[in-house]
């Protein structure tokens, strides 16, 4: 079975500061890893994904994540936060099957 | 192109009633998945359908059922509603390429169900 743990249910950053959202996964097989963002009253939008190959993955809106197998981590970063980054972020894992297992989410607020 | 569309967007039911939620996938996507998102939690997998066949089911009671139609649209049905069924129900579609696990899901905006 696969699962993810997102460390920190809420993160507050200043505009222009680094955004770091932590995700650790558990998987019995090589995982596929995803980060999704959810804005209020909307569905989830894919930020980036890791399947195979390069462990540093670049996504939309300046976000990137690094797959570290030895640490079972897939942390999400953005060098400089923007007000529009305020949202809820979900890390998710899947194996060679049909379902995504999501973390509980991290809410990001950006201070002006 | 239209994204994943879901209806209704909001609905209120009372305990014991039945509800049907509908989803239209992106054109060309043959896989539809349903997720339940309770307030303050991450989405939980309910069902996946591919080519009109159930390919996976999450840990939900038999009160939850779904089907996929020849045009690949889908319905999620919930019988004998409980207060705990109050949630945002998300539908996602994907175009299967390679293994299911690597496919990117495109989510709709969801149907928010309130059970009183």
């Amino acid at each position: 079975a696969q699962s993810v743990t997102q460390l920190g249910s809420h993160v507050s950053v200043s505009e222009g500061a680094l955004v770091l959202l932590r995700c650790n996964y558990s998987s019995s097989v090589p995982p596929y890893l995803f980060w999704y963002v959810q804005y209020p009253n909307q569905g989830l939008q894919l930020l980036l994904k890791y399947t195979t190959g390069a462990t540093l993955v670049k996504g939309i809106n300046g976000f990137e994540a690094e797959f570290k197998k030895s640490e079972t981590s897939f942390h999400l970063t953005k060098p400089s936060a923007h007000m529009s980054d305020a949202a809820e972020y979900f890390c998710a894992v899947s194996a060679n099957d049909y379902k995504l297992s999501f973390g509980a989410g991290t809410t990001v607020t950006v201070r002006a | 192109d239209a994204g994943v569309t879901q209806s209704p967007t909001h609905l209120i039911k009372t305990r014991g009633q039945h509800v049907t939620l509908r989803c239209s996938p992106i054109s060309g996507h043959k896989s539809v998945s349903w997720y339940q998102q309770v307030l303050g939690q991450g989405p939980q997998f309910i069902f996946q359908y591919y080519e009109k066949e159930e390919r996976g089911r999450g840990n939900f009671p038999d009160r939850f059922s779904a089907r996929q139609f020849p045009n690949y649209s889908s319905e999620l049905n919930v019988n004998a509603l409980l207060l705990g069924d109050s949630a945002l129900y998300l539908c996602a579609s994907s175009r299967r390429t390679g293994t299911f696990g690597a496919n990117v899901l495109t989510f709709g905006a969801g149907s928010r169900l309130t059970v009183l």
Side-chain angles (χ1 to χ4, degrees), chain A residues 38-59:
Chain A
Q38 186 175 34
Y39 298 100
N41 301 315
Q42 295 187 27
L44 296 111
Q45 179 184 6
L46 180 72
L47 282 175
L48 49 80
K49 69 173 184 177
Y50 169 79
T51 52
T52 58
T55 57
L56 182 61
V57 180
K58 295 187 182 299

Side-chain angles (χ1 to χ4, degrees), chain A residues 9 38-42 44 88 90 103-107, chain B residues 10 35-44 60 83-90 109 111-115:
Chain A
S9 59
Q38 186 175 34
Y39 298 100
N41 301 315
Q42 295 187 27
L44 296 111
E88 190 158 21
F90 293 95
T106 299
T107 300
Chain B
H10 295 83
Y35 287 78
Q36 180 196 64
Q37 186 178 16
V38 173
L39 193 64
Q41 298 181 19
Q44 298 291 316
F60 281 81
L83 295 179
D85 295 330
S86 295
L88 180 67
Y89 289 85
L90 295 164
S111 294
R112 186 166 297 282
L113 170 65
T114 301
V115 182

